[in-house]
Amino acid sequence: MEEVNKYTILAVDDAKDSLMLLEFDLKEAGYEVITAESGYDALSILENTQISLILLDMYMPGISGLTTLQKIKTQSALTHIPVIMLSASDDEQQIVDALEFGADDYVTKPYIPNVILARMRNSLRLMEKTLQLETLARTDFLTKVNNRRSFEDLVGKVVSQTKRNQHTISMAMFDLDLFKQVNDNYGHEAGDKALIDFAQILKETFRDYDVIGRVGGEEFAVCMPNTDIEEAFNACERCRKALAAHIIPIDYQGEKSNLSLSVSIGVTSAQGLLVDLNELLRIADHGLYKAKENGRNQTVIEGEFSMNEADTQLKEQEKYPGINHQVGLNNVLGDEDLFADILVMFHQDHGQDHNNIQQAIDENDQQKVKHLVHTIKGVSCSIGAMDLFDLCKELDIAVSENNSEQYQGLFAPLKTELVKVTAGIELHLRDKL
């Protein structure tokens, strides 16, 4: 018999007698039950309580069952919860609306207890299978850590939060040393066992809120939020030493043997506006390459930013709003004076282009719009104004495709970004203008 006491049911009905009867039947069947007498109460409960399934009355004063259903299904944290609608009405359109809004089933009052319980079991089983499939889609089938896609999705959210809060984040890349020899000498079963054991060591070494992923065959990555480079290095070293001390018993061709492995690690760190997912992975991977080149079984810090360095670079980026100072400086081989001169020329040549583009759009002069936007696009990339480059690219494409109805909508954020860039240059290079 299916375990039902692990499920918590939220029953919502403004009719107290119906709600009491429903609560009694559900508890008799072994469910945990929470009741609510309005849609508002139900939404409040859902904010703070883990609910497995919702039984929702269609017609209620204040906020109807359909409206409550819509609000539930628009919240990403609640969309997986199955909802069964209850109503004394057999209005066909109401049933259709409820199903289209995301209800899983519909039961007409007065309900038959065995029928509603059977429908609940079906909805709960479907929810469980759906969650299992979603987990499988996010999880590496062998090691049970995040696969690459899930890892990048989760880290992308961490990066966004890190930028907003101006925190420090660290990234580490791991590669099992000479792993091909394990497969060649002992077979793929031994190799799989090694990967599983290493993934377990990663989970035991790092914190619950660190993001762990298998990003390649024997490559893993760990993202450590709110972690400076020293803390990240120490954690990586604990992991490396734990693996070096770990013995993997294997059975190959009838003979028992013990296998030991080592791992090479590259780790980096960045802060606030300096954080970029692809750049973090690239730099950590470069550190990993150095660890391999230097003899393996070691952790190499690569391109780390100390707090002072991070503060300095953040100030440099803030010095020219909308401009990645390091990108622009790299384009002139680190010549600060030349970079300043180029910024002055950009201001002189394009300081009024937001007005010029607007005029060209108003006059429907597509050739002029194309010329102005295309020119700014090329130069903005050179000075490190990457957001401006992306906005110019979108408008440039629209002009090439003659989508004139999109011009104003695409130009508005471009104008804001261009004004921000030129104003920042003027503020800090006024003596050269």
Side-chain angles (χ1 to χ4, degrees), residues 141-258:
F141 74 98
L142 179 66
T143 62
K144 308 309 179 192
V145 298
N146 295 295
N147 58 26
R148 185 178 189 106
R149 179 178 178 181
S150 176
F151 175 81
E152 292 182 350
D153 287 345
L154 291 171
V155 175
K157 296 175 183 177
V158 174
V159 165
S160 297
Q161 186 174 16
T162 299
K163 286 184 175 180
R164 286 196 302 271
N165 299 329
Q166 296 289 293
H167 289 164
T168 302
I169 187 173
S170 293
M171 181 75 72
M173 293 287 291
F174 303 76
D175 188 276
L176 292 172
D177 297 325
L178 304 175
F179 186 74
K180 184 176 183 299
Q181 294 182 11
V182 176
N183 286 326
D184 291 346
N185 296 335
Y186 299 101
H188 288 281
E189 186 175 341
D192 289 349
K193 180 69 166 61
L195 292 171
I196 293 169
D197 282 18
F198 180 59
Q200 185 60 37
I201 289 172
L202 285 172
K203 287 186 278 190
E204 292 171 356
T205 301
F206 292 92
R207 302 163 300 191
D208 290 342
Y209 58 84
D210 293 329
V211 184
I212 302 171
R214 184 184 179 192
V215 296
E218 64 270 19
E219 286 191 342
F220 294 78
V222 177
C223 172
M224 293 163 271
N226 304 324
T227 307
D228 63 30
I229 193 65
E230 183 179 355
E231 294 170 327
F233 175 80
N234 290 337
C236 290
E237 279 292 278
R238 287 196 299 272
C239 178
R240 184 185 66 81
K241 292 174 183 177
L243 178 63
H246 181 68
I247 301 299
I248 305 171
I250 59 172
D251 189 349
Y252 180 60
Q253 294 183 346
E255 295 185 7
K256 297 188 180 299
S257 181
N258 290 328

Side-chain angles (χ1 to χ4, degrees), residues 28-43:
E28 277 289 297
Y31 291 104
E32 292 290 329
V33 183
I34 297 175
T35 61
E37 296 181 11
S38 72
Y40 294 115
D41 290 343
L43 293 171

Side-chain angles (χ1 to χ4, degrees), residues 388-408:
L388 180 59
F389 170 81
D390 290 336
L391 293 167
C392 287
K393 183 178 178 181
E394 290 182 16
L395 182 53
D396 191 26
I397 291 171
V399 175
S400 297
E401 296 176 350
N402 294 319
N403 291 328
S404 56
E405 67 278 3
Q406 296 183 11
Y407 291 178
Q408 195 60 54

Side-chain angles (χ1 to χ4, degrees), residues 236-399:
C236 290
E237 279 292 278
R238 287 196 299 272
C239 178
R240 184 185 66 81
K241 292 174 183 177
L243 178 63
H246 181 68
I247 301 299
I248 305 171
I250 59 172
D251 189 349
Y252 180 60
Q253 294 183 346
E255 295 185 7
K256 297 188 180 299
S257 181
N258 290 328
L259 177 66
S260 60
L261 292 174
S262 64
V263 63
S264 297
I265 309 168
V267 61
T268 191
S269 180
Q271 185 184 46
L273 295 176
L274 297 173
V275 177
D276 176 85
L277 171 57
N278 292 328
E279 191 69 2
L280 281 170
L281 289 170
R282 185 190 68 79
I283 294 174
D285 196 52
H286 195 259
L288 171 59
Y289 176 80
K290 283 187 178 180
K292 293 285 190 183
E293 288 290 296
N294 293 340
R296 305 184 182 91
N297 192 25
Q298 57 189 276
T299 302
V300 171
I301 296 174
E302 179 71 7
E304 79 281 9
F305 297 97
S306 69
M307 294 304 288
N308 290 335
E309 289 171 326
D311 287 344
T312 299
Q313 293 208 28
L314 280 168
K315 288 175 182 176
E316 288 294 342
Q317 263 188 295
E318 291 166 356
K319 181 177 179 180
Y320 302 112
I323 293 176
N324 187 315
H325 182 268
Q326 194 59 49
V327 171
L329 198 58
N330 288 343
N331 288 336
V332 292
L333 303 179
D335 190 327
E336 189 74 59
D337 291 335
L338 178 57
F339 183 52
D341 290 340
I342 291 174
L343 292 178
V344 169
M345 286 189 286
F346 179 88
H347 185 281
Q348 292 171 341
D349 292 343
H350 305 290
Q352 295 301 314
D353 273 359
H354 57 284
N355 294 325
N356 298 331
I357 296 172
Q358 183 64 71
Q359 182 181 353
I361 291 176
D362 292 342
E363 296 173 353
N364 198 26
D365 188 341
Q366 294 196 35
Q367 186 174 356
K368 187 175 181 180
V369 175
K370 176 76 174 177
H371 171 72
L372 290 167
V373 173
H374 192 74
T375 302
I376 298 173
K377 182 179 72 170
V379 182
S380 61
C381 186
S382 299
I383 66 171
M386 305 314 297
D387 288 342
L388 180 59
F389 170 81
D390 290 336
L391 293 167
C392 287
K393 183 178 178 181
E394 290 182 16
L395 182 53
D396 191 26
I397 291 171
V399 175

